[in-house]
Amino acid sequence: MVLTAFRPTRDIQSETPGFLPVSVTLDHFRHAVAADGFWTFWRNSLLVTAGCVLLALVVALAAAFAVARMRWRGRRAFLLMVFVAQMAPWEALLIPMYVIARDAGLLDRLVTLSLIYFMITLPFTVVTLRSFLAGVPAELEEAAQVDGCTRAAAFRRVTLPLLAPGLLATSLFGFITAWNEFAFANMLIIKNQDDRTLPVWLSSFSNVFGTDWGATMAASTLFALPVLVLFLVLQGRVAAGMTGGAVKG
């Protein structure tokens, strides 16, 4: 993808292409960035992804705390429902979610995409954070309460910093899921084309006259760049978060 993005069009369409480009060009990146709506769709994807991740973290943290720290009737049944929801293929919800959004007047709205992506990422976030919370001794919070902290303050000052790897791991998962999702974005944004996201925008380089492969690869490279940079920056904590959430609790 990256090599094709830098390869001139004549080399891309050559009958005997080479793996490494003979010459390098930035024309494809200029074409991609100058395409109609590029920055608008970039902003849309960022807003939808940020809304999904933040909402999932807040709701999942509260649910994980209730499951890991409290004892109440129906707790095991709730966990079972979360696991079942995590296993269910989200593609099966395409038609029902379209019907619900249509009847509720929520088509062509970015907030609808954020809510759907939140629903998709929530089960994984609850399970992972619950495992992390179960691995943090409750005695630490109790000691803080003995020293004068309220229960909320003890959680915020003692437990929350220890959950940083889990929060980063689940945030990255939610970010990648929402950032890459195409099916819901393509189906629910119909009339208002200015509310499209980057995955849908990438399909604009393919038309009845063929596919501009150079611009498509350049746009795909720009699309993948934020996820790659975020993962490289957070990879140490994310690795700890994934392994910790998998074996604890």
Side-chain angles (χ1 to χ4, degrees):
M1 179 180 70
V2 176
L3 292 177
T4 304
F6 286 101
R7 197 188 307 271
T9 302
R10 64 178 182 275
D11 294 340
I12 296 175
Q13 299 175 349
S14 173
E15 293 183 359
T16 57
F19 179 71
L20 295 176
V22 178
S23 57
V24 175
T25 180
L26 296 177
D27 290 343
H28 300 312
F29 287 95
R30 296 190 186 99
H31 183 192
V33 173
D36 292 339
F38 172 77
W39 296 110
T40 300
F41 303 142
W42 185 282
R43 180 203 63 193
N44 292 344
S45 287
L46 191 60
L47 290 176
V48 168
T49 302
C52 158
V53 171
L54 292 176
L55 188 59
L57 284 180
V58 172
V59 175
L61 191 59
F65 182 84
V67 172
R69 288 287 190 264
M70 300 178 182
R71 296 294 180 267
W72 39 278
R73 181 174 297 179
R75 186 173 66 94
R76 292 184 179 275
F78 173 78
L79 273 177
L80 179 61
M81 284 196 307
V82 171
F83 280 111
V84 171
Q86 185 178 358
M87 291 185 294
W90 59 264
E91 292 86 353
L93 300 176
L94 280 169
I95 295 177
M97 292 307 302
Y98 173 82
V99 174
I100 293 173
R102 181 198 62 190
D103 294 344
L106 294 176
L107 293 177
D108 297 301
R109 295 188 181 183
L110 292 178
V111 65
T112 305
L113 291 180
S114 288
L115 291 175
I116 290 176
Y117 298 160
F118 154 72
M119 175 189 66
I120 293 173
T121 58
L122 184 62
F124 173 85
T125 310
V126 171
V127 170
T128 304
L129 291 182
R130 178 253 177 188
S131 299
F132 268 92
L133 272 169
V136 177
E139 289 79 7
L140 295 177
E141 295 179 24
E142 295 171 358
Q145 289 178 263
V146 170
D147 290 338
C149 287
T150 62
R151 187 168 191 175
F155 177 80
R156 186 180 69 253
R157 296 182 180 182
V158 177
T159 306
L160 194 58
L162 298 176
L163 294 178
L167 293 174
L168 290 175
T170 52
S171 297
L172 185 60
F173 170 81
F175 184 92
I176 293 175
T177 300
W179 187 262
N180 291 336
E181 204 283 322
F182 172 83
F184 280 107
N186 187 51
M187 184 179 64
L188 298 179
I189 306 297
I190 303 173
K191 297 180 180 179
N192 190 1
Q193 297 297 306
D194 289 338
D195 284 340
R196 291 185 297 174
T197 56
L198 279 175
V200 180
W201 170 78
L202 283 175
S203 64
S204 64
F205 290 98
S206 179
N207 51 48
V208 294
F209 300 104
T211 300
D212 186 345
W213 290 112
T216 300
M217 294 299 108
S220 300
T221 301
L222 295 173
F223 172 70
L225 196 59
V227 176
L228 179 62
V229 171
L230 186 63
F231 183 81
L232 291 176
V233 171
L234 304 178
Q235 61 176 337
R237 289 183 175 271
V238 168
M242 289 295 187
T243 54
V247 300
K248 294 181 180 178

